[in-house]
Amino acid sequence: MREFGADIPFVHTLGFRLARAEHGESELHYEAQPGHLNSFGVTHGGASMTLLDVTMAIAARSVAPGMGAVTIEMKTSFLQPARGPLVARGRLLHRTRAMAFVEGSVFDTQGNLCCHASGTFKLVPAAQAGGTVASD
């Protein structure tokens, strides 16, 4: 699996693994740990939304080297419970100089669509260590 290109502690805590990020597309893998489940024993919606958010941001960043992607808005639809190992795929739909419009989907091991999102991201210079933003 690949590295994310930035230190994202929350992503490491959840255990997301980056499989692909190129040409406006991304793929991440995730298996929820017991502490990431809801009261029904399936992946918590918040974990699924975080997976979608990161997947879409990485798809946006894949065509913008040296840039970060900050979430402006995100809409998520939950279609069925997300169980077991999950695969998330993101796809850049449109990009301007400063904005990216992206969609993402999460699938279970049987290929069932568990949740889907669309999002708008602002492209910004990538953060440097310590949380400061690189200057032009």
Side-chain angles (χ1 to χ4, degrees):
M1 294 290 172
R2 300 176 43 159
E3 289 297 320
F4 288 89
D7 182 27
I8 311 169
F10 190 49
V11 168
H12 294 295
T13 297
L14 289 170
F16 297 169
R17 297 179 324 274
L18 178 62
R20 186 169 65 91
E22 59 190 5
H23 312 297
E25 296 182 349
S26 63
E27 181 176 305
L28 278 73
H29 296 192
Y30 170 59
E31 187 164 3
Q33 300 304 305
H36 306 160
L37 303 178
N38 64 19
S39 60
F40 298 104
V42 299
T43 303
H44 190 282
S48 295
M49 288 183 74
T50 301
L51 179 59
L52 286 163
D53 181 49
V54 173
T55 299
M56 291 188 296
I58 290 173
R61 288 178 39 215
S62 74
V63 297
M67 299 298 279
V70 178
T71 310
I72 300 299
E73 65 83 26
M74 179 175 165
K75 183 225 184 267
T76 305
S77 297
F78 297 95
L79 293 95
Q80 64 181 340
R83 293 184 173 92
L86 303 172
V87 175
R89 294 188 182 98
R91 182 171 68 103
L92 178 65
L93 301 172
H94 180 73
R95 178 179 170 229
T96 67
R97 183 184 57 76
M99 303 292 279
F101 303 87
V102 191
E103 69 178 358
S105 299
V106 173
F107 302 90
D108 65 17
T109 56
Q110 289 76 42
N112 298 311
L113 179 62
C114 299
C115 51
H116 180 83
S118 60
T120 305
F121 294 81
K122 180 177 173 104
L123 300 171
V124 298
Q128 296 176 339
T132 59
V133 177
S135 60
D136 291 328

